[in-house]
């Protein structure tokens, strides 16, 4: 009998309507089951494929996952990241978090490539017009045989962008100038770390949401130190067709970046040179780009938190399996050793807490309570806490397992290398995410617990 059930029945009581519940809905449960099965069937073979290439050949490893990414496309995983109002089949953010956790608990590189396309499409989910921008969305809504379209939110720059919106600063160095005569925007500048930004052949991705600064009024001058930098930030859509029309010299891959983790992911250093695109490609005009770009990262913050949960879960599962089967020369399995069990139980508790925070953030972002700033704060908190907790959790697991964990035949070192990326990508915790939390707390209208109990004035 369930001791928490006051009815005396063996059946659990239904959750209260409108109340707090951690019981997945039928749809959420189905997402969990389907994602678990798909991750094993799709991601594990992709890993075997890219591991056939050398560790330092990140470009070849990335290209090796294309067939599996194509399978994901055919199965609707890209369409599932497009909002229904745009013709997609995206469900709730909670279900997206469940999917991300399942995928990341199995494999991280192919998973990130799939979800990075989702990030690349998020500005359209926020700001696109279903008719005006239909041509840009079409490749991601159609499951054509052999298709594997990539999208990228092209944001970061070689000199960093953590302070790009600071008044008096340099601003975004990727610029766009409007040419009235041709009714085109001309893009110039370098970007780096934008996943999928070079495409499969490294000549440009299928769709890039390029975050840039309007320099129409002063093409050769610096950012106006007296002006709010946000007033000049815009997002322009650049398709592969646009790059092809501009010629080979319009897009340059400067350098592939080999990373210690996520070793089959492409986030290279690229350059746009006099790329001309029609005015209809403007997704967010000057003054609206920053809000949409950071709004996209607010949504992805929840999914990075889910990535952290997935990595912690993978580390825990591998460690408990090891602890039940290995005695390190003693009389009992390692799990019966207090020191090992303490470290392991700590990771389990952290994983459960991280998942709860992730689910709350996902739910609150879409349903409240609280205004957008209150909702956003929970998403930021989930990204920061879960990503940093994932690094610590894997280190604790490594300490528990001991030197055996340093063998690359074991999963622990790879999990740590992948976990290390979470606090520093998708908006670094120190330079961007914690600064956004700080800005929220500094606001005169800051309402600390609005995302839990609603606005304090209504209580």
């Amino acid at each position: 009998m369930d001791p928490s059930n006051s009815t005396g029945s063996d059946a659990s009581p239904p959750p209260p309507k409108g109340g707090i519940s951690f019981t997945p809905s039928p749809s959420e449960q189905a997402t969990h089951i389907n994602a678990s099965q798909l991750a094993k069937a799709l991601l594990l073979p992709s890993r075997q494929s890219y591991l056939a290439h050398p560790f330092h050949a990140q470009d070849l490893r990335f290209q090796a996952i294309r067939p599996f990414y194509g399978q994901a496309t055919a199965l609707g995983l890209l369409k599932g990241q497009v909002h229904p109002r745009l013709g997609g089949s995206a469900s709730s953010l909670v279900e997206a978090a469940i999917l991300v956790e399942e995928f990341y608990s199995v494999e991280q590189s192919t998973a990130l490539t799939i979800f990075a396309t989702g990030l690349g499409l998020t500005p359209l989910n926020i700001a696109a017009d279903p008719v005006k921008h239909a041509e840009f969305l079409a490749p991601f809504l159609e499951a054509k045989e052999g298709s594997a379209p990539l999208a990228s939110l092209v944001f970061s720059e070689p000199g960093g962008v953590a302070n790009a919106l600071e008044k008096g600063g340099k601003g975004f160095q990727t610029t766009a100038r409007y040419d009235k005569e041709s009714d085109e925007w001309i893009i110039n500048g370098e970007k780096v770390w934008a996943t999928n930004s070079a495409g499969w052949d490294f000549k440009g991705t299928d769709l890039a949401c390029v975050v840039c600064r309007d320099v129409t009024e002063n093409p050769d001058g610096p950012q106006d130190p007296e002006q709010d930098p946000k007033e000049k930030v815009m997002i322009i859509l650049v398709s592969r067709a646009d790059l092809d029309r501009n010629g080979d010299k319009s897009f340059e891959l400067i350098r592939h970046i080999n990373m210690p983790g996520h070793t089959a992911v492409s986030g290279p250093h690229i350059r746009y040179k006099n790329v001309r695109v029609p005015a209809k490609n403007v997704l967010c005009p000057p003054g609206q780009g920053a809000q949409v770009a950071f709004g996209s990262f607010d949504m992805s913050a929840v999914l990075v938190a889910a990535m952290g949960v997935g990595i912690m879960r993978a580390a825990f599962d591998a460690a408990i399996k090891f602890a039940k089967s290995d005695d390190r020369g003693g009389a009992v399995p390692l799990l019966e050793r207090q020191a090992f069990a303490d470290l392991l139980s700590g990771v389990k508790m952290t994983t459960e807490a991280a998942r709860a925070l992730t689910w709350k953030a996902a739910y609150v972002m879409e349903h409240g309570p609280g205004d957008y700033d209150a909702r956003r704060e929970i998403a930021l908190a989930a990204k920061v806490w879960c990503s940093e907790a994932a690094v610590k959790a894997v280190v604790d697991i490594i300490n528990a397992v001991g030197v055996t964990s340093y063998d690359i035949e074991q999963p622990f070192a790879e999990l740590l290398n992948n976990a290390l990326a979470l606090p520093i990508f998708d908006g670094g915790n120190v330079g961007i995410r914690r600064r956004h939390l700080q800005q929220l707390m500094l606001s005169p209208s800051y309402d600390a617990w609005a995302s839990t109990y609603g606005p304090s004035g209504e209580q």
Side-chain angles (χ1 to χ4, degrees), residues 103-409:
F103 274 36
Y104 248 67
S105 71
V106 172
E107 189 275 343
Q108 292 83 48
S109 285
T110 306
L112 181 59
T113 301
I114 293 169
F115 299 131
T117 283
L119 176 61
L121 295 171
T122 303
L124 287 96
N125 285 335
I126 295 172
D129 178 272
V131 177
K132 181 180 178 181
H133 299 108
E135 64 177 287
F136 299 102
L137 291 161
F140 304 93
L141 301 176
E142 303 165 355
K144 292 183 179 179
E145 185 176 353
S147 66
L150 294 165
S152 180
L153 176 49
V154 186
F155 182 80
S156 296
E157 297 183 348
V161 293
N163 304 308
L165 299 183
E166 181 177 84
K167 192 173 182 179
K170 296 179 180 178
F172 283 95
Q173 295 300 289
T174 300
T175 63
R177 175 176 61 85
Y178 179 63
D179 179 24
K180 187 176 181 180
E181 187 174 323
S182 63
D183 193 28
E184 293 177 320
W185 285 86
I186 305 170
I187 304 169
N188 282 282
E190 297 179 17
K191 294 287 190 177
V192 70
W193 296 116
T195 306
N196 300 339
S197 60
W200 296 113
D201 61 359
F202 311 127
K203 296 180 180 180
T205 194
D206 296 279
L207 180 62
C209 289
V210 181
V211 181
C212 51
R213 176 168 54 94
D214 174 21
V215 295
T216 303
E217 296 175 357
N218 187 15
D220 300 317
Q223 180 168 269
D224 184 349
E226 300 302 320
Q227 188 176 43
D228 183 349
K230 291 181 182 178
E231 295 179 9
K232 292 296 184 180
V233 178
M234 60 190 301
I235 299 178
I236 300 179
L237 301 175
V238 180
S239 70
R240 178 57 183 266
D242 292 318
L243 294 177
D244 291 343
R245 187 175 60 253
N246 276 269
D248 292 342
K249 295 182 179 180
S250 65
F251 179 89
E252 179 186 357
L253 188 147
I254 297 173
R255 184 173 74 94
H256 289 291
I257 298 176
N258 288 314
M259 301 178 289
H262 293 93
T263 61
V265 171
S266 173
H269 184 177
I270 61 172
R271 178 185 290 125
Y272 295 105
K273 185 175 181 180
N274 294 322
V275 176
R276 288 178 170 267
V277 298
K280 67 181 178 65
N281 284 38
V282 174
L283 177 67
C284 302
Q288 297 180 19
Q291 181 180 1
V292 171
F294 283 110
S296 299
F297 285 119
D298 290 342
M299 301 298 286
S300 66
V302 177
L303 303 185
V304 175
M307 293 174 186
V309 177
I311 287 178
M312 285 189 274
R313 192 176 117 190
F316 176 86
D317 288 345
I320 198 168
K321 180 180 179 182
F322 178 81
K324 288 181 176 180
S325 60
D326 197 292
D327 56 23
R328 300 284 90 176
V332 297
L334 281 176
L335 195 55
E336 295 189 33
R337 304 292 181 184
Q338 183 175 347
F340 194 106
D342 286 353
L343 285 170
L344 205 55
S345 62
V347 171
K348 178 61 162 60
M349 288 184 278
T350 300
T351 306
E352 294 284 7
R355 182 185 292 114
L357 179 58
T358 300
W359 286 3
K360 174 179 177 174
Y363 181 88
V364 164
M365 278 294 287
E366 293 187 322
H367 305 289
D371 62 11
Y372 185 76
D373 280 347
R375 301 177 186 198
R376 179 177 180 235
E377 183 184 35
I378 292 298
L380 293 169
K383 195 274 183 183
V384 170
W385 192 79
C386 296
S387 64
E388 294 176 2
V391 176
K392 183 181 183 303
V394 180
V395 170
D396 285 348
I397 291 291
I398 287 173
N399 282 326
V401 172
V403 72
T404 298
S405 65
Y406 209 56
D407 183 345
I408 61 172
E409 295 297 318

Side-chain angles (χ1 to χ4, degrees), residues 62-85:
F62 170 68
Q63 290 178 323
I65 71 174
R66 189 186 189 283
F68 305 94
Y69 184 97
Q71 292 178 40
T73 304
L75 291 168
L77 283 174
L78 303 190
K79 184 177 181 179
Q81 296 181 88
V82 178
H83 196 282
R85 74 176 183 84

